[in-house]
């Protein structure tokens, strides 16, 4: 039996892309990774993630910009790609206020570039792409989780608007060209090899240095923290269950147990064995009060069930952080 074509993973030097590529390789897939390794946050961390693929059979890395449509089309065509996990994007709510055009290129032009490459690929099977819980807009703490059927028409940041635009672009391309697509609305992802712009990561840096931390929203925000291994379970499960041709399916992927910001900080203090000095700040532009995933659709499709609770996940992160930065 001929081997299946490799899977293209964009954002392979990123937090989620790195973990997803490793999971696919571990189950015997071949993976082509793409990443521009930009300087949105420390490129040394991205290079260190890439170094974990050294000597791993079946991995081929291309340093490229996903918005380069010609390069993406050639990569897909030359390798017979029929499955893509598109995780590359310009992330960050607050950064989108300061640098809006970065989101136009990476999130909009980049998504279009990937879809164009996929639609011309013979026998194309499935495009899984990263969306975000931010598309739901703001919601008070408490109440039921976000469901995929709720309107997502009131984004409060440019980042959120670009992610919703990607969903609509995918809807149009699925209808026009027939290839199956799945958008995954990620809730707050954390864990080893995470992103330094995320709160838990920045808090860890400051707590271990003895610096005060800024707690925005007066500590009243809540997030659906989801451990990286659980997220990868959902991504791979979704990839293995494509929708019918002509469909663009959107699914939540989170933990379904939102945690208040102050509780997260207390849990992190326990994991680090240190107390934080806190400076309370008001809500920042673009932030939302709470995120809370209803993941029943993904669970019904794939058996998805998050297993790592916050205390365990932050303990693992704290151990990784100390080891990585001691070595660095």
């Amino acid at each position: 039996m001929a081997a299946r074509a490799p899977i293209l993973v964009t954002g392979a030097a990123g937090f989620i892309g790195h973990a997803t590529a490793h999971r696919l390789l571990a189950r015997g897939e071949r993976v082509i990774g793409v990443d521009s390794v930009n300087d949105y946050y420390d490129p040394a961390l991205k290079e260190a993630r890439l170094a974990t693929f050294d000597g791993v059979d079946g991995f081929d890395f291309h340093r490229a910009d996903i918005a380069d449509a010609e390069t993406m089309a050639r990569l897909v065509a030359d390798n017979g790609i029929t499955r893509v996990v598109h995780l590359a994007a310009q992330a960050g709510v607050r950064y989108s206020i300061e640098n809006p055009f970065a989101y136009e290129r990476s999130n909009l032009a980049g998504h279009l570039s990937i879809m164009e490459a996929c639609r011309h690929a013979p026998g194309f099977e499935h495009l899984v792409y990263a969306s975000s819980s931010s598309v739901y807009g703001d919601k008070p703490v408490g109440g039921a989780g976000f469901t995929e059927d709720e309107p997502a028409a009131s984004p409060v940041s440019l980042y959120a608007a670009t992610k919703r635009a990607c969903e609509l672009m995918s809807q149009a391309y699925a209808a026009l060209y027939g290839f199956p697509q799945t958008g995954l609305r990620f809730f707050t992802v954390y864990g080893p090899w995470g992103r330094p712009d995320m709160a838990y990561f920045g808090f860890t840096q400051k707590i271990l240095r003895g610096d005060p931390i800024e707690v925005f929203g007066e500590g009243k925000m809540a997030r659906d923290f989801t451990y990286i291994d659980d997220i990868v379970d959902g991504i791979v499960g979704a990839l293995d269950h494509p929708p019918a041709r002509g469909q663009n399916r959107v699914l939540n992927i989170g933990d379904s147990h939102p945690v208040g910001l102050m509780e997260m900080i207390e849990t992190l203090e326990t994991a680090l064995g240190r107390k934080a000095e806190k400076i309370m700040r008001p809500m920042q532009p673009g932030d939302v009060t709470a995120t809370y995933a209803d993941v029943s659709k993904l669970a019904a499709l794939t058996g998805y069930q998050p297993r790592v609770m916050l205390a365990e996940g932050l303990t693992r992160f704290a151990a990784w952080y100390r080891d990585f930065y001691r070595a660095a």
Side-chain angles (χ1 to χ4, degrees):
M1 181 183 296
R4 293 190 77 179
I7 298 171
L8 177 64
V9 177
T10 72
F15 175 32
I16 302 175
H18 159 261
T20 301
H22 270 295
R23 178 73 64 84
L24 293 170
L25 290 163
R27 74 174 197 177
E29 303 277 7
R30 290 180 295 147
V31 173
I32 293 177
V34 172
D35 203 295
S36 66
V37 196
N38 66 23
D39 61 358
Y40 167 61
Y41 59 80
D42 186 6
L45 175 57
K46 299 178 183 182
E47 296 288 0
R49 293 188 189 118
L50 288 174
T52 66
F53 294 108
D54 290 349
V56 178
D57 290 339
F59 184 75
D60 183 24
F61 180 69
H62 295 257
R63 195 175 297 253
D65 181 352
I66 58 166
D68 182 343
E70 183 177 336
T71 296
M72 293 301 102
R74 185 168 58 249
L75 197 58
V76 168
D78 289 352
N79 292 280
I81 299 292
T82 59
R83 293 171 294 164
V84 174
V85 181
H86 173 37
L87 301 171
Q90 178 57 62
V93 168
R94 293 170 192 164
Y95 189 75
S96 70
I97 295 171
E98 303 164 11
N99 297 276
F101 288 102
Y103 294 76
E104 175 195 37
R105 178 167 180 83
S106 184
N107 297 4
L108 300 179
H111 190 68
L112 181 59
S113 173
I114 295 297
M115 289 195 300
E116 273 289 296
C118 293
R119 82 171 178 98
H120 290 292
F124 191 80
E125 298 174 25
H126 196 190
L127 167 61
V128 175
Y129 63 92
S131 185
S132 169
S133 62
S134 65
V135 302
Y136 290 113
D138 204 2
K139 187 172 186 175
V141 176
F146 292 116
T147 67
E148 297 89 343
D149 298 327
E150 291 185 41
S154 300
V156 296
S157 70
L158 179 64
Y159 168 69
T162 61
K163 284 299 186 179
R164 181 62 180 136
C166 288
E167 294 179 354
L168 295 172
M169 292 160 67
S170 282
Q171 181 66 35
Y173 262 60
L176 285 168
Y177 305 115
F179 64 92
Q181 300 183 59
T182 299
L184 296 175
R185 290 175 172 171
F186 290 105
F187 286 67
T188 305
V189 187
Y190 75 101
W193 294 104
R195 282 180 17 218
D197 62 318
M198 299 293 285
Y200 73 94
F201 201 120
F203 288 166
T204 298
Q205 291 174 316
K206 291 180 177 180
I207 291 170
L208 291 179
R209 287 200 306 253
D211 295 337
I213 64 173
E214 294 183 301
V215 182
F216 292 101
E218 303 289 346
K220 296 175 183 177
M221 295 188 292
R223 292 291 181 266
D224 199 358
F225 294 98
T226 315
Y227 191 68
I228 183 62
D229 291 358
D230 292 329
I231 284 288
V232 175
D233 285 347
I235 294 170
V236 174
L239 178 67
D240 291 342
H241 294 83
R245 283 193 57 78
Q247 289 188 8
N248 172 58
R249 174 181 59 198
V250 177
L251 300 169
N252 288 337
I253 179 168
D255 188 78
S256 293
H257 293 91
V259 174
L261 183 56
M262 296 306 295
E263 181 181 345
M264 184 275 280
I265 293 170
E266 291 171 4
T267 305
L268 182 60
E269 289 173 329
T270 299
L272 294 172
R274 298 196 185 183
K275 283 292 190 181
E277 178 187 347
K278 306 172 189 70
I279 301 173
M280 310 307 282
R281 301 289 194 202
M283 188 85 84
Q284 295 293 285
D287 276 348
V288 297
T289 308
T291 62
Y292 182 179
D294 180 325
V295 296
S296 56
K297 287 187 177 181
L298 182 60
L301 179 70
T302 69
Y304 174 75
Q305 184 177 356
R307 293 176 173 81
V308 180
M309 301 304 290
L310 186 65
E312 180 182 353
L314 285 178
T315 297
R316 294 181 190 179
F317 169 75
W320 169 84
Y321 183 94
R322 284 189 161 109
D323 288 345
F324 180 77
Y325 284 100
R326 184 182 300 122

